[in-house]
């Protein structure tokens, strides 16, 4: 079943998350109409390959032409034509952006499907969903709308005061122009009385508008303090969680709308205050409220504008190497990385060139880092309005390179390179309506590596930091790293499998991992694990840490076991003791697949058979690692596996995948080749003449020869409580 068909069968709660994925950047109409074709393309590779992205974009347009020509509904044909034109405008000059958008959507679909297999959400995902609840957004929309409406009404009130003052000014000057002999007349007295009444009304209206302004300014201040800033901090926290495999980050466009509307209100109030200042020049009087209250109001409005715009400068995309898009915040020296900053206030007042400069480890105290880095390429770019999105003001640094300036000092003691955190800062400055605003923001802490072998350790540091703190720049975090609750850590580990392998871990698998990490306490959701136990200390009796072992399994799945893993055929994390308990009393030939506990990146299978007296015997093969799996797909290995002992005819002992699925029923559609003519068998006795290959049939295929080479280069005893058996291929 295609991924899109699986998506359509989800419950409404999860379909709402899918709905968040699709907008004008990638309309759901395209996902629906080209579902199979889209899923068959390698979008992740195209993200980093401009020429490949261009070809795929052209093919996408061709596919749309084909679907549109076959569409019978006139309205649908029209809509698809409009969509096609919009895509051409957005992505013709930069098709890699389209590849990134589609890749992100497909990856998040897989995560949603994975979460659907889990009976309940983890604590992190629950808390994130609560923090972006619909009611909060609705309340925010309502408050921002009320403020905008109040400011618009104040515009009308200021205009009314201006008209009233013009009328008063005209009457006053007319009265002044009369002859002095008329000033004591009854008519004159009536005019003076009328002017006094007009001045009283004018004074009342001035006090009234200033009072309303004061209320609105206080309302904006409260909105920013109690809701807008917390919403921004909540988005930044969700960005941290998304960076380590959590739910897709959404809501930035909504934040931009709130920031922009609030800023528009403040700028409008500032213009209203300026207008009141102009009115005072023409007409003022004793106890005039405008000169008394306007200066303080102006300062408050400027303060709010300054801090609103300053806080709206955010890192939209954290630094990431294009070769490792799913592992952001890790940078390798000499390798390009990308990052993007955005201004959430979209106003004509700031729609002009803003130069943004980026630097490493700005303003750190002396001796804080053992290595200093700098940008090898141009570190200054101009912000521009994006023409393929909603017109936000942003800048993307796409070709940054980092270099080592030198070793300054060692302050971290026993900390490794992957525990040393760095920061990338962004600065800009501009003046708007006489107000100079210095913009500054920084990335989340980075790990800078010099060798790709440091990548697993670096990713462990990134996960640990962003799981356990919301501090934006605590570079001394690993000087005394906090412990993690297993309930949260297990959720993040499951995210790694859903992100990199397409399917997360179920409760049973997570429980098995918990037992691997800290034994009998695994069932305690509040049990805490230290950073050292997770990433630095070796597993008892093994030459590697828990995380190195788990990361090697992730790599093995991603490169060699994806089809089998996504069918949920790999039990995975189970001890030998549990394995035997599960297979005991099962039908002979029942087998299960688990990851090796003694090898990094190895998978093995164990089957049960019974002796004549009914005793169960368990046989396990030497783990298959990436070297052996590169020669033959794992499903084909299971199909072709054969055993012989003491001259018995070769036979495949694997009959049923645990608990009772016939082998070919489970793996049939995953087989990549015809059954091998070579038979896996025991080495013959020295006195036995090896069978010869009969001509004209070739002795073996190239693929079989490769398997033979791997087997003979890695011959070893398989784990068994029965006779020791060695395997090789021979020709019939």
């Amino acid at each position: 079943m295609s991924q899109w068909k699986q998506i359509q069968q989800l419950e409404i709660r999860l379909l709402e998350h899918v709905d968040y994925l699709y907008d004008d950047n990638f309309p759901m109409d395209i996902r629906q109409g080209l579902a199979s074709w889209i899923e068959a393309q390698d979008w992740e590779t195209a993200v980093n390959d401009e020429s490949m992205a261009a070809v795929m974009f052209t093919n996408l347009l061709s596919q749309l032409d084909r679907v549109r020509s076959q569409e019978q509904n006139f309205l649908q044909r029209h809509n698809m034509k409009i969509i096609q034109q919009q895509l051409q405008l957005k992505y013709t000059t930069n098709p890699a952006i389209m590849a990134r958008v589609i890749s992100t959507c497909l990856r998040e679909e897989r995560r949603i499907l994975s979460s659907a297999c889990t009976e309940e959400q983890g604590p992190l995902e629950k808390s994130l969903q609560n923090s972006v609840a619909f009611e909060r957004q609705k309340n925010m929309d309502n408050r921002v709308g009320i403020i905008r409406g109040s400011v618009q009404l104040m515009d009308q009130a200021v205009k009314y005061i201006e008209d009233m003052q013009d009328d008063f000014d005209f009457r006053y000057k007319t009265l002044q122009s009369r002859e002095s002999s008329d000033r004591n007349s009854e008519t004159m007295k009536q005019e003076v009385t009328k002017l006094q009444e007009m001045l009283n009304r004018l004074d009342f209206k001035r006090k009234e508008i200033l009072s309303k302004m004061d209320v609105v300014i206080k309302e904006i201040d409260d909105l920013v303090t109690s809701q807008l800033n917390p919403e921004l901090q909540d988005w930044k926290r969700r960005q941290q969680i998304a960076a380590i495999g959590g739910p897709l980050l959404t809501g930035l466009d909504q934040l931009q709308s709130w920031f922009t509307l609030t800023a528009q209100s403040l700028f409008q109030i500032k213009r209203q205050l300026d207008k009141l200042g102009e009115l005072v020049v023409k007409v003022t009087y004793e106890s005039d409220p405008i000169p008394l209250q306007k200066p303080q109001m102006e300062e408050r409005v400027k303060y709010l504008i300054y801090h609103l715009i300053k806080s709206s400068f955010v890192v939209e995309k954290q630094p990431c190497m294009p070769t490792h898009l799913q592992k952001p915040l890790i940078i390798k020296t000499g390798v390009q990385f990308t990052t993007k900053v955005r201004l959430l206030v979209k106003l004509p007042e700031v729609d002009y060139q803003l130069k943004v400069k980026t630097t490493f480890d700005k303003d750190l105290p002396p001796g804080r880092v053992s290595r200093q880095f700098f940008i090898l390429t141009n570190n200054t770019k101009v912000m521009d309005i994006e023409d393929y999105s909603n017109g936000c003001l942003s800048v993307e640094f796409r070709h940054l390179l980092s270099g080592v300036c030198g070793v300054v000092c060692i302050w971290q003691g026993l900390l490794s390179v992957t525990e040393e955190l760095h920061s990338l800062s962004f600065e800009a400055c501009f003046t708007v309506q006489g107000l100079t605003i210095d913009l500054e923001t920084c990335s989340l802490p980075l790990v800078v590596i010099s060798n790709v072998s440091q990548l697993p350790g670096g990713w462990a540091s990134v996960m640990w930091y962003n799981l356990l703190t919301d501090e934006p720049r605590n570079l001394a975090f690993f000087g005394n790293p906090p412990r993690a609750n297993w309930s949260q850590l297990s959720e993040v580990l499951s995210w790694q499998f859903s992100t990199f392998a397409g399917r997360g871990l179920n409760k049973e698998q997570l429980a098995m991992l918990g037992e691997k990490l800290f034994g009998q306490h695994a069932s305690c959701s509040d049990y805490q694990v230290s950073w050292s136990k997770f990433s630095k200390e070796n597993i008892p009796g093994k030459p590697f840490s828990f995380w190195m072992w788990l990361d090697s399994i992730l790599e093995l799945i991603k490169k060699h076991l994806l089809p089998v893993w996504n069918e949920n055929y790999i039990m995975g994390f189970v001890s030998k003791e549990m394995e035997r308990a599960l297979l005991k009393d099962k039908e002979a030939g029942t087998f299960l697949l688990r990851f090796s506990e003694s090898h990094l990146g190895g998978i093995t299978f164990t089957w049960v058979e019974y002796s004549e007296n009914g005793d169960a015997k368990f046989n396990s093969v030497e783990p298959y690692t990436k070297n052996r799996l590169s020669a033959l797909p794992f499903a084909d290995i299971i199909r072709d596996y054969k055993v012989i002992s003491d001259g018995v005819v070769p036979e495949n002992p694997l009959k049923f995948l645990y608990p009772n699925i016939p082998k070919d029923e489970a793996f049939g559609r995953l087989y990549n080749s015809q059954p091998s003519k070579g038979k896996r068998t025991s080495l013959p006795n020295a006195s036995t003449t090896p069978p010869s290959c009969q001509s004209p049939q070739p002795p073996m295929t190239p693929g079989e020869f490769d398997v033979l080479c791997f087997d003979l280069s890695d011959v070893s005893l398989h784990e068994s409580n029965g006779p020791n058996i060695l395997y090789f291929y021979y020709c019939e």
Side-chain angles (χ1 to χ4, degrees):
M1 184 184 298
S2 71
Q3 182 171 306
W4 186 244
K5 286 184 179 179
Q6 294 179 59
I7 287 289
Q8 292 174 309
Q9 294 178 3
L10 294 174
E11 58 182 284
I12 294 178
R13 174 181 63 85
L14 294 172
L15 286 175
E16 290 176 352
H17 292 290
V18 177
D19 186 54
Y20 277 119
L21 304 178
Y22 296 97
D23 53 23
D24 291 342
N25 293 321
F26 184 32
M28 192 178 289
D29 303 63
I30 297 179
R31 183 68 179 94
Q32 170 75 23
L34 302 179
S36 299
W37 182 85
I38 287 172
E39 292 173 26
Q41 311 307 307
D42 189 358
W43 299 104
E44 288 193 14
T45 302
V47 171
N48 305 311
D49 189 331
E50 290 284 351
S51 59
M52 180 180 179
V55 171
M56 291 176 69
F57 178 57
T58 302
N59 292 342
L60 176 68
L61 296 178
S62 299
Q63 290 292 325
L64 282 175
D65 278 332
R66 177 184 60 80
V67 173
R68 185 160 56 88
S69 65
Q70 297 172 354
E71 178 59 55
Q72 300 298 317
N73 186 290
F74 171 77
L75 182 59
Q76 281 293 98
R77 284 203 310 273
H78 173 76
N79 290 339
M80 295 195 74
K81 181 179 180 180
I82 298 300
I83 290 173
Q84 190 169 359
Q85 291 172 345
Q86 291 174 340
L87 292 179
Q88 288 175 313
L89 288 174
K90 288 176 184 289
Y91 302 126
T92 297
T93 58
N94 200 342
I97 293 179
M98 177 205 69
R100 180 184 299 169
V101 170
I102 297 178
S103 174
T104 300
C105 288
L106 293 177
R107 186 170 65 249
E108 183 63 12
E109 283 181 7
R110 291 193 294 270
R111 193 201 65 78
I112 293 172
L113 285 172
S114 177
S115 68
C117 299
T118 306
E119 293 183 8
E120 61 180 29
Q121 297 169 303
L124 275 175
E125 193 156 351
K126 283 182 178 178
S127 66
L128 292 174
Q129 289 191 349
N130 290 336
S131 68
V132 291
F134 175 74
E135 285 303 319
R136 272 179 53 185
Q137 293 190 7
K138 186 176 179 181
N139 177 266
M140 189 73 176
D141 285 335
N142 187 50
R143 286 192 72 180
V144 171
I146 290 174
I147 288 172
R148 288 295 296 151
S150 299
V151 173
Q152 298 290 351
L153 290 175
M154 288 193 307
D155 252 0
Q156 299 176 22
V158 171
K159 183 64 170 64
Y160 179 80
I161 291 173
E162 183 181 15
D163 292 341
M164 179 186 294
Q165 179 170 306
D166 287 343
D167 188 21
F168 172 85
D169 188 50
F170 175 76
R171 289 175 176 270
Y172 178 76
K173 290 179 178 178
T174 300
L175 191 63
Q176 277 189 323
S177 65
R178 290 189 179 182
E179 296 292 335
S180 57
S181 57
D182 296 333
R183 292 183 179 177
N184 293 323
S185 65
E186 191 63 30
T187 303
M188 187 69 167
K189 290 180 180 179
Q190 291 177 356
E191 287 291 336
V192 170
T193 301
K194 191 170 185 178
L195 277 175
Q196 185 61 53
E197 292 174 353
M198 291 181 67
L199 184 60
N200 290 340
R201 288 201 304 273
L202 183 62
D203 180 65
F204 175 80
K205 287 296 181 183
R206 285 186 174 186
K207 290 177 179 177
E208 183 182 55
I209 190 63
L210 289 170
S211 176
K212 289 181 178 179
M213 284 184 177
D214 183 64
V215 170
V216 173
I217 292 171
K218 287 179 179 177
E219 176 68 11
I220 292 176
D221 193 357
D222 181 70
L223 173 76
V224 171
T225 303
S226 65
Q227 285 190 272
L228 193 53
N229 284 341
E231 286 288 342
L232 179 60
Q233 295 307 312
D234 179 76
W235 178 86
K236 290 181 178 180
R237 180 58 182 155
R238 287 186 284 118
Q239 184 185 49
Q240 286 186 269
I241 298 303
I244 56 176
L248 179 70
L249 182 63
T250 58
L252 195 58
D253 288 343
Q254 181 64 74
L255 269 175
Q256 177 171 295
S257 173
W258 292 332
F259 267 88
T260 297
L261 290 173
T262 304
Q264 286 175 345
S265 296
L266 287 169
F267 277 112
Q268 199 165 348
I269 293 173
K270 186 176 182 301
R271 288 191 293 269
Q272 292 167 357
L273 287 170
D274 290 340
K275 188 63 178 178
L276 291 179
E278 295 174 7
L279 296 181
V280 170
V281 174
K282 296 180 180 179
V283 175
T284 189
Y285 46 89
E286 187 177 354
S287 300
D288 187 349
I290 294 178
L292 295 175
Q293 300 180 40
K294 177 176 172 288
Q296 292 84 355
M297 285 189 178
E298 282 183 326
E299 288 303 312
R300 289 165 59 195
V301 169
K302 287 180 181 179
Y303 175 87
L304 289 171
I305 290 174
Y306 178 87
H307 287 280
L308 183 72
I309 295 179
K310 193 174 179 66
S311 63
S312 75
F313 191 48
V314 299
V315 180
E316 180 178 357
K317 294 179 182 176
Q318 295 292 335
C320 180
M321 294 186 291
T323 52
H324 295 83
L325 290 176
Q326 295 170 348
K327 290 185 176 179
L329 300 170
I330 300 178
I331 294 174
K332 184 177 179 295
T333 53
V335 175
Q336 292 181 353
F337 67 93
T338 65
T339 185
K340 181 180 179 181
V341 292
R342 176 168 168 179
L343 192 66
L344 298 180
V345 174
K346 186 178 68 172
L347 295 171
E349 287 88 346
V350 295
D351 283 353
Y352 55 85
Q353 289 193 344
L354 293 178
K355 288 185 178 180
V356 179
K357 180 182 179 182
T358 179
T359 54
F360 261 108
D361 295 332
K362 182 178 181 292
D363 298 333
L364 283 185
R368 176 60 68 179
V369 294
S370 63
R371 300 172 299 162
Q372 285 187 340
F373 297 92
F374 61 96
I375 303 297
L376 295 175
T377 51
N378 183 17
N379 67 336
T380 302
K381 286 191 72 174
V382 175
M383 297 189 83
D384 199 3
I385 299 176
E386 291 184 352
D387 54 1
Y388 61 86
S389 67
N390 62 353
C392 67
L393 200 61
S394 66
V395 59
E396 184 168 13
F397 294 87
R398 303 188 62 203
H399 303 290
L400 292 177
L401 285 170
S402 63
V404 183
C405 183
V407 177
V408 182
C409 66
I410 304 296
W411 71 276
Q412 289 99 334
L414 299 178
L415 296 190
S416 66
V417 168
T418 57
E419 293 172 309
E420 180 184 298
L421 301 179
H422 299 267
S423 178
L424 200 62
S425 299
F426 304 88
E427 298 173 283
C429 182
F430 69 100
T431 301
V432 53
Q433 293 193 8
L435 187 63
T436 300
I437 301 177
D438 295 313
L439 300 175
E440 184 172 355
T441 190
C442 65
S443 71
L444 291 168
L446 306 168
V447 174
V448 183
I449 62 176
S450 56
N451 191 291
V452 72
S453 64
Q454 298 167 334
L455 190 62
W459 185 238
S461 296
V462 170
M463 286 192 298
W464 204 261
Y465 182 95
N466 289 288
L467 168 64
L468 297 177
T469 181
D470 58 2
E471 295 180 81
R473 202 187 183 209
N474 182 4
L475 304 188
F477 177 82
F478 284 103
N480 184 25
R483 291 172 172 263
N485 288 330
W486 174 242
S487 59
Q488 291 184 317
L489 179 59
S490 61
E491 187 176 5
V492 173
L493 295 180
S494 180
W495 288 344
Q496 305 315 299
F497 282 82
S498 60
T499 298
F500 295 101
R503 184 177 62 81
L505 303 178
N506 57 36
K507 277 186 174 181
E508 291 74 20
Q509 290 169 325
L510 289 173
M512 294 172 191
L513 279 182
E515 292 177 7
K516 180 78 173 179
L517 193 56
F518 34 71
Q520 61 182 357
H521 302 288
S523 60
C524 301
S525 60
D526 59 348
Y527 187 80
Q528 293 188 325
V529 57
S530 69
W531 163 246
S532 181
K533 189 174 184 65
F534 174 74
S535 179
K536 301 181 72 173
E537 298 174 6
N538 286 343
I539 297 174
K542 303 295 187 298
F544 45 78
S545 68
F546 173 84
W547 169 246
M548 291 300 294
W549 171 72
L550 195 62
D551 182 73
S552 68
I553 290 172
L554 276 166
E555 284 296 308
L556 189 73
I557 294 174
K558 182 179 179 182
K559 294 180 179 178
H560 302 289
L561 301 174
L562 267 181
V564 182
W565 173 258
N566 285 324
E567 291 291 344
N568 202 21
Y569 291 157
I570 301 176
M571 182 167 291
F573 309 103
V574 55
S575 65
K576 292 180 182 178
E577 294 75 16
M578 177 60 69
E579 176 184 67
R580 296 186 178 194
L582 293 172
L583 290 175
K584 187 179 180 181
D585 300 329
K586 289 294 180 182
E587 190 171 348
T590 301
F591 67 100
L592 57 77
L593 310 177
R594 66 174 175 86
F595 297 115
S596 171
E597 295 182 296
S598 57
H599 291 68
L600 283 178
I603 186 170
T604 183
F605 48 81
T606 299
W607 71 92
V608 63
E609 57 187 33
Y610 298 93
S611 63
E612 292 182 358
N613 60 8
D615 292 337
K617 296 191 298 184
F618 305 94
N619 304 284
S620 299
V621 299
E622 185 75 11
Y624 290 87
T625 60
K626 62 181 180 181
N627 291 334
R628 303 181 73 185
L629 293 174
S630 297
L632 201 64
F634 191 52
D636 288 10
I637 290 175
I638 292 173
R639 179 195 61 193
D640 296 337
Y641 189 84
K642 289 182 174 62
V643 174
I644 187 171
S645 179
D646 298 329
V648 179
V649 176
E651 180 182 354
N652 191 327
L654 309 178
K655 306 298 183 183
F656 304 97
L657 177 66
Y658 181 88
N660 56 2
I661 308 174
K663 176 188 64 180
D664 289 336
E665 179 182 322
F667 297 96
R669 66 189 189 87
L670 302 179
Y671 297 151
N672 283 5
S673 62
Q674 294 299 316
S676 172
K677 294 180 180 178
K679 297 292 188 289
R680 183 161 290 218
T681 180
S682 63
L683 287 170
N685 296 328
S687 60
T688 304
T689 304
S692 60
C693 295
Q694 300 179 358
S695 188
Q697 181 179 350
M700 63 182 67
T701 66
E704 293 167 348
F705 180 75
D706 288 340
V707 173
L708 172 62
C709 292
F710 275 107
D711 281 351
L712 293 181
S713 66
D714 191 27
V715 171
S716 60
L717 291 175
H718 76 291
E719 303 168 296
S720 173
N721 61 353
N724 292 332
I725 304 173
L726 296 175
Y727 303 109
F728 85 115
Y729 274 89
Y730 77 95
C731 303
E732 292 181 332

